[in-house]
Amino acid sequence: RKNTRNASLHPLWQSPLTIPGGTRQSPINIQWRDSVYDPFLKPLKISYDPTTCLHIWNNGYSFLVEFDDSTDRSIIVGGPLENQYRLKQFHFHWGAINDWGSEHTVDSKFYPAELHLVHWNAVEYPNFEEAVMEGNGLAVIGVFLKLGARHEGLQTLVDALPAVRHKDTVIEFDVFDPSCLIPSCPDYWTYAGSLTTPPLTESVTWIIKKKPIEVDEDQLEAFRTLLFTSDGEEERRMVDNFRPLQPLMNRTVRSSFH
Ligand SMILES: NS(=O)(=O)c1ccc(B(O)O)cc1
Ligand SMILES: [Zn+2]
């Protein structure tokens, strides 16, 4: 029988690789020499309250650490942002092997994994679901992970992963300060983009940190022990949960540094 599968569907998400009519899709390759230094970009100010941490869960795409976003206790402000944004969750994307795994690339180089800290514009919108639909609704900080020294802050997450091995499992996670996962170097790139998993809405101001954090092989391997599948289903290892690169189209990537 002719393969009638739609070749442009991404195997992982059974969704279009590109949004028809999409002009600001993510992820993209960041060509360092094409990025434009913007002297008006402010430093990004990050203030998280570790007690807003709620739980870790496996949603079948990644594992997410979710936060209480009912108040302004965990927020970011400044950088390219006109308002302050509330932290809702963070999660990762990674590969089956260390040669790939990140969603964004820098000069076409993949990192073995990428952290996304997802925030929404609580000044202009009543909740996350509304903000997801708006061009300035979300701000996601991207942090690259590279193979190196063991990351003690990440280890507390890694130790919890066996409890969320299957899709739709969740465990309580009372105190965690995600700023330990963000490099102290203030340098970042920023551009207008989208969510990288469905609903792929073009509502994200991306803030990609120039410096990666270091994690060790065992910590990356721990990510790869997670499953896309629910308990009782045939096991499929959660790896390569990153979206293919999307066209830059009519966008400029700005840098906060020379
Ligand atoms: N991978 S991502 O940070 O672009 C992202 C964030 C949130 C959601 B979502 O809440 O559906 C989807 C993708
Ligand atoms: Zn993501």
Side-chain angles (χ1 to χ4, degrees):
R1 219 162 56 81
K2 195 171 77 59
N3 177 353
T4 53
R5 262 178 55 72
N6 176 343
S8 70
L9 282 178
H10 190 277
L12 188 57
W13 295 306
Q14 303 309 319
S15 70
L17 284 178
T18 55
I19 285 274
T23 59
R24 51 174 282 190
Q25 288 290 296
S26 294
I28 59 167
N29 174 52
I30 296 169
Q31 202 63 35
W32 195 314
R33 64 177 176 280
D34 294 344
S35 61
V36 178
Y37 169 61
D38 180 348
F40 298 104
L41 281 174
K42 302 187 188 72
L44 187 65
K45 285 176 60 185
I46 298 169
S47 42
Y48 295 148
D49 172 349
T51 66
T52 55
C53 191
L54 294 173
H55 49 252
I56 302 185
W57 71 294
N58 176 333
N59 72 346
Y61 291 121
S62 180
F63 68 94
L64 294 86
V65 181
E66 294 209 291
F67 290 78
D68 170 7
D69 61 354
S70 60
T71 74
D72 281 334
R73 283 181 293 159
S74 289
I75 52 148
I76 58 172
V77 67
L81 305 171
E82 305 207 336
N83 299 123
Q84 79 178 14
Y85 288 65
R86 270 184 208 165
L87 175 65
K88 176 168 179 55
Q89 52 105 329
F90 70 81
H91 62 274
F92 297 82
H93 304 261
W94 60 91
I97 62 172
N98 297 336
D99 296 346
W100 59 74
S102 59
E103 296 217 292
H104 293 86
T105 55
V106 179
D107 294 344
S108 300
K109 168 196 160 71
F110 281 96
Y111 285 87
E114 184 173 332
L115 160 64
H116 289 157
L117 297 125
V118 182
H119 310 75
W120 58 279
N121 182 342
V123 172
E124 296 196 0
Y125 308 111
N127 56 49
F128 176 80
E129 288 66 28
E130 295 282 322
V132 160
M133 311 306 290
E134 304 292 335
N136 67 341
L138 303 182
V140 181
I141 299 175
V143 180
F144 295 118
L145 277 64
K146 71 178 258 195
L147 194 57
R150 176 181 152 110
H151 194 293
E152 288 312 324
L154 185 74
Q155 194 55 37
T156 46
L157 294 182
V158 165
D159 291 340
L161 294 186
V164 291
R165 184 159 182 264
H166 291 100
K167 179 173 184 256
D168 294 331
T169 49
V170 58
I171 58 156
E172 198 178 313
F173 208 63
D174 285 345
V175 180
F176 185 79
D177 181 356
S179 34
C180 78
L181 301 173
I182 302 173
S184 53
C185 175
D187 296 348
Y188 62 84
W189 290 284
T190 183
Y191 77 97
S194 74
L195 298 179
T196 64
T197 65
L200 301 170
T201 43
E202 299 187 330
S203 54
V204 181
T205 299
W206 280 95
I207 300 167
I208 308 287
K209 298 290 282 184
K210 181 187 83 173
K211 281 279 192 339
I213 57 169
E214 288 193 22
V215 301
D216 73 11
E217 177 63 38
D218 291 345
Q219 293 178 316
L220 285 170
E221 275 304 318
F223 285 14
R224 302 177 183 129
T225 65
L226 294 172
L227 300 175
F228 285 126
T229 41
S230 307
D231 198 355
E233 282 181 347
E234 185 188 351
E235 296 195 349
R236 280 186 300 114
R237 289 188 321 132
M238 184 179 276
V239 293
D240 297 334
N241 57 352
F242 58 92
R243 189 190 191 193
L245 291 171
Q246 301 297 306
L248 183 61
M249 303 184 94
N250 180 30
R251 290 180 283 181
T252 301
V253 178
R254 290 182 289 162
S255 65
S256 70
F257 58 94
H258 260 314

